[in-house]
Amino acid sequence: MTSVVAEVLGSDFARLHPKVQWRFGLQSSDDLAQFGVGVMEEMTHSRLVPPPLLWAGRKRGLFPAGVGKDVPFTIANYAYVDELGRETMSFVRRFAFAGRPQGMNSVMVSSAESDAYALDYLGFSSDMVVHTRCEVDADGGLILESEVPRFLLGPLAPKLPKVASAVTIGREWWDAAEERHRIEIEVKSPVIGQLFLYRGWFTAEERPCLAADIPDDARPRSVESRE
């Protein structure tokens, strides 16, 4: 198997900067994991985001709900084949907000319906799914653009109405001057405008990691097949 991002990008994967290829070329057969440590220089959200939504996002590991500058964070990436036989890349993020650490988990898998996008299942229980398109920018960075999310609530998978929905645009690239990875994520509503903004940097290394060594918190509490 190839990595999820490599499968979606196809020949464009070779256009990524080698350091970005290393980040997103991780696959289950490598028996490796990546561990990053860095700082989120800015983490903010609009005052128009309802407090109950912030609470739910933090509680379920869907997104960090804190506000701060120079927030230390870690990111761990694991690659494995899930229970449905899909190549999977797991992202485990932890943010050291003062007095209240927060987490955000996601797993990315290939779509069985289309090779134009990947599927991102968000949260500790993977109870939200987004279709994510992958592109390469002029500097060899990776752009991840996610469509309107759907909640996976029992047998239902409702899509938010456009007025209440949001799309996410993320970019990860290699900062050659500082010799570190950089990341920027913006969540926008078509009505309200910018809802969330995260930007920062990290350094990363890889270590041996067999499938049996992947920690429980790197795998979702339930596995979803719905797209």
Side-chain angles (χ1 to χ4, degrees):
M1 289 186 176
T2 187
S3 75
V4 179
V5 172
E7 183 174 345
V8 174
L9 283 177
S11 61
D12 279 348
F13 187 79
R15 295 175 49 222
L16 290 172
H17 188 282
K19 293 287 189 178
V20 183
Q21 290 186 38
W22 172 77
R23 282 275 298 140
F24 291 93
L26 184 68
Q27 58 192 35
S28 58
S29 60
D30 292 335
D31 291 332
L32 296 169
Q34 297 175 357
F35 300 92
V37 178
V39 171
M40 280 294 179
E41 297 161 317
E42 181 178 8
M43 301 186 75
T44 186
H45 61 73
S46 168
R47 294 180 180 179
L48 298 178
V49 179
L53 180 60
L54 294 174
W55 178 87
R58 176 179 60 82
K59 185 76 172 177
R60 303 195 70 81
L62 296 169
F63 52 82
V67 172
K69 292 185 179 295
D70 298 327
V71 179
F73 82 102
T74 62
I75 179 169
N77 294 85
Y78 303 90
Y80 61 91
V81 177
D82 73 4
E83 292 90 330
L84 301 177
R86 302 175 299 186
E87 180 74 16
T88 303
M89 191 169 183
S90 172
F91 299 78
V92 179
R93 309 167 183 90
R94 298 294 180 260
F95 305 90
F97 289 101
R100 180 177 287 184
Q102 296 185 29
M104 177 183 176
N105 282 20
S106 63
V107 293
M108 178 182 280
V109 303
S110 300
S111 167
E113 298 180 358
S114 172
D115 58 5
Y117 55 80
L119 299 171
D120 272 315
Y121 294 94
L122 309 179
F124 300 138
S125 297
S126 289
D127 46 14
M128 179 185 285
V129 64
V130 293
H131 290 184
T132 299
R133 299 188 180 275
C134 305
E135 297 180 0
V136 182
D137 68 18
D139 298 318
L142 178 65
I143 297 175
L144 301 169
E145 184 169 354
S146 298
E147 299 176 358
V148 177
R150 293 198 312 279
F151 290 99
L152 303 174
L153 306 174
L156 304 176
K159 198 171 188 177
L160 293 175
K162 199 69 174 178
V163 69
S165 64
V167 296
T168 301
I169 300 177
R171 179 175 180 247
E172 186 173 316
W173 70 101
W174 176 250
D175 184 339
E178 299 291 338
E179 295 189 338
R180 59 195 186 186
H181 301 273
R182 296 201 65 88
I183 186 169
E184 182 170 298
I185 299 172
E186 185 177 22
V187 182
K188 286 184 174 182
S189 160
V191 176
I192 300 173
Q194 187 184 89
L195 298 177
F196 296 89
L197 176 66
Y198 314 119
R199 62 178 182 85
W201 59 266
F202 63 96
T203 59
E205 64 178 12
E206 63 184 17
R207 304 173 199 161
C209 182
L210 300 176
D213 299 326
I214 297 175
D216 290 343
D217 67 353
R219 297 177 183 264
R221 294 169 185 164
S222 59
V223 176
E224 274 288 350
S225 60
R226 288 175 291 177
E227 300 194 11

